[in-house]
Each structure stands twice: as structure tokens, then as C-alpha cells.
Amino acid sequence: MLPNTEAVGGKALPCIVDVRDEQQISDAVDKAVKKFGAYTIAKYGMSMCVLGMAEEFKGEIAVNALWPKTAIHTAAMDMLGGSGIESQCRKVEIIADAAYSIFKKPKSFTGNFVIDENILKEEGIKNFDIYAVKPGHPLIPDFFLDEQPELVTKKMESQGAVPEVKEEKLQPQPKRSGAVEETFKIIKDSLSDDVVKATQAIYLFELSGEDGGTWFLDLKSKGGNAGHGEPSDRADVVMSMSTDDFVKMFSGKLKPTMAFMSGKLKIKGNMALAIKLEKLMNQMSSKL
């Protein structure tokens, strides 16, 4: 079952648990949090509750989950993203309207994972600028929706890359000596005009620890560039983290979203472009 789960793009953690043993349950939760992150576990838990209750109360009460397609401006986003993050978010009203659309459905509409924008499109809404805090400004995609840029995916697959579905033991990691330099070398070899066209951003990495310092990834200039030092133009996004976490992030061992929410990664600049980099990393991880 585990290989099948990962083969279709999912992730799994096998745990032998006797639900009558409180310690075994606690240990299993600790392992899951360590592998997937506490916030992700909360989302998985909510999803499982929807599926379970939808079946349990079938014919009596409808149970559905509602997900935002983009970031929603809340106090939590202000805390995580800092000043100016609201311009890249939508208002909470889009969630309220989407929820109302669900409430109008019959009881047979149950066990669904609904995207706010999708259900409102079904209601005939075409202009979503009314929900934007700053209409016309680029929006941050929701962290838990997988929408990878087509051009990036196509280019990386043409180079023999595959989605992040391999078992960890099959993914070679950069050597510990000069790991950051080795990572940037592989990144640089993976760059192309298509990747640059799909991203259009310059990233600056301020890394602490061994092999640290300032590194850059230029996905705006023709052909792209990456390496040690400052980029030739002003960075759109500045990321600060340890060298160990940087290598883990680009090799698929640490999700940028989880690193950000846990405080391991600090981001300054355009959050929408930071999310674009996460999508690109998902493709590059098979080479690292």
C-alpha cells in the first residue's frame, strides 16, 4: 500500500498502532508531525473528518470542506507575511459567499473538497477582483493547492525530471562538503529560457552556517544564472535560513511552506514569487 500511495504522488508514513495503547498513539502522532509538519497534519485531520462524517451522516447531514484558492487576508497572514502582504490576498468575503453556495446545495452534496473560486464560478460569478484587497495585484496561491506552472513542469520533465514521488532512499543528496555550492551547481545546470520566462524573478539567499553567506538565483535574465554573491539586479525575494535547511529545501526534504510557518525560513519581498519558487523546487528536487 505504501509504494502505491507514493507512486501516484502522495506521501505516506507507515505506523503500527494499537489504538488501545495511548503511548503508541502519541508516538505515531509525533512521527507524523516530524515527517509532515504540525500544520499539515491539522489539514489532513480536517480532511479525514470530512470524509468520515460525510459517510457517517449520509442522508441526514451534508459535510464538506471549503478551501481558498488564494491566500485570505487575516491576522495570521499579517503575522506570517509582514507589512504589505494584504495586497497579495483576497478578502474573507469570498469564503463567506462560497460557504453560502454550499449551504444552498441539497444533502446529497456531501464529502466534497470545494475550492471557493470554483464553486462561485458555477454560481455565475466572473469578476473576482471584487474579492481582492488590491484589485489587479498578483495573488498568493494557497499553500496546500498544487498548481505548478506548466512551462516549468514541461521543461523539467524534458530533462528527465519526475514529480517528487520517489522514496527517500532513492534520492541522492548533495555531498556534505560544499553542499550549498553543489546544490547551486545543479540548479544552474537546470536553468533555461523557459524556466526564466515562467518565473521572472530574482531570489537572494542569506544563509547561515557552514558554506553560508549570500547566494542568488536569477530567473529574470536571459538563460538564468545562479551562484555565490549578489545578483546583477535588485532581488525580488530575500530568503534567510540555515545552509542545512536550504539543502533540505531544494532536495525535497523540507517543504518551504513548512519551513516558513515554523520560523526556519524568513521571507522578505514578493510572496507570490516566493510561492513560484516552491513550485520550481518540486521539479528540481529529483535532480538533487
Side-chain angles (χ1 to χ4, degrees), residues 11 164 249 252-260 278 282:
K11 288 188 176 182
E164 185 189 353
M249 193 168 72
K253 298 294 184 181
L254 175 64
K255 296 292 288 182
T257 302
M258 294 301 104
F260 179 61
E278 177 171 5
N282 288 338

Side-chain angles (χ1 to χ4, degrees), residues 35-278:
K35 183 175 179 67
F36 301 112
Y39 192 69
T40 303
I41 293 301
K43 295 296 185 182
Y44 288 162
M46 182 188 75
S47 301
M48 294 303 294
C49 286
V50 168
L51 294 176
M53 289 189 290
E55 187 63 29
E56 181 180 356
F57 300 114
K58 195 171 184 178
E60 301 175 17
I61 302 173
V63 182
N64 298 282
L66 175 59
W67 297 83
K69 184 174 182 179
T70 71
I72 304 298
H73 183 222
T74 62
M77 284 304 299
D78 285 336
M79 180 182 68
L80 293 172
S83 177
I85 193 67
E86 67 277 2
S87 64
Q88 300 172 60
C89 300
R90 280 177 172 164
K91 303 172 186 176
V92 295
E93 281 78 4
I94 191 172
I95 296 297
D97 289 353
Y100 179 67
S101 297
I102 295 175
F103 292 149
K104 293 192 299 181
K105 299 282 187 182
K107 286 186 293 185
S108 58
F109 186 80
T110 188
N112 300 292
F113 295 88
V114 181
I115 308 300
D116 56 0
E117 183 175 307
N118 293 352
I119 195 169
L120 290 176
K121 283 181 178 178
E122 293 177 6
E123 294 285 332
I125 295 178
K126 298 179 180 180
N127 178 20
F128 286 87
D129 275 349
I130 60 174
Y131 295 115
V133 173
K134 187 176 180 180
H137 199 280
L139 299 170
I140 304 173
D142 182 78
F143 294 134
F144 290 88
L145 295 185
D146 187 17
E147 296 182 350
Q148 301 185 14
E150 293 181 2
L151 285 175
V152 176
T153 301
K154 181 178 179 181
K155 180 60 183 178
M156 300 308 292
E157 287 180 348
S158 71
Q159 296 179 354
V162 295
E164 185 189 353
V165 299
K166 295 182 179 180
E167 293 186 34
E168 293 181 358
K169 64 180 181 181
L170 298 180
Q171 294 181 354
Q173 300 300 309
K175 56 186 179 181
R176 292 296 299 172
S177 177
V180 175
E181 184 176 358
E182 180 70 13
T183 299
F184 269 99
K185 181 179 182 300
I186 296 173
I187 292 172
K188 191 172 182 178
D189 291 342
S190 301
L191 300 182
S192 69
D193 288 335
D194 284 344
V195 173
V196 171
K197 185 179 179 181
T199 311
Q200 285 297 291
I202 296 177
Y203 302 89
L204 185 68
F205 299 90
E206 297 176 342
L207 306 180
S208 59
E210 187 179 357
D211 302 323
T214 301
W215 299 76
F216 73 92
L217 174 57
D218 183 349
L219 297 179
K220 186 177 286 187
S221 303
K222 182 176 176 59
N225 195 14
H228 189 269
E230 299 280 345
S232 58
D233 203 353
R234 182 174 178 273
D236 298 290
V237 181
V238 179
M239 297 185 171
S240 303
M241 62 194 313
S242 71
T243 55
D244 283 346
D245 287 335
F246 171 82
V247 174
K248 289 177 182 177
M249 193 168 72
F250 267 90
S251 60
K253 298 294 184 181
L254 175 64
K255 296 292 288 182
T257 302
M258 294 301 104
F260 179 61
M261 290 184 173
S262 64
K264 293 181 178 180
L265 168 64
K266 290 181 171 52
I267 301 175
K268 295 179 183 178
N270 191 312
M271 287 292 290
L273 293 177
I275 297 297
K276 267 193 175 184
L277 181 63
E278 177 171 5

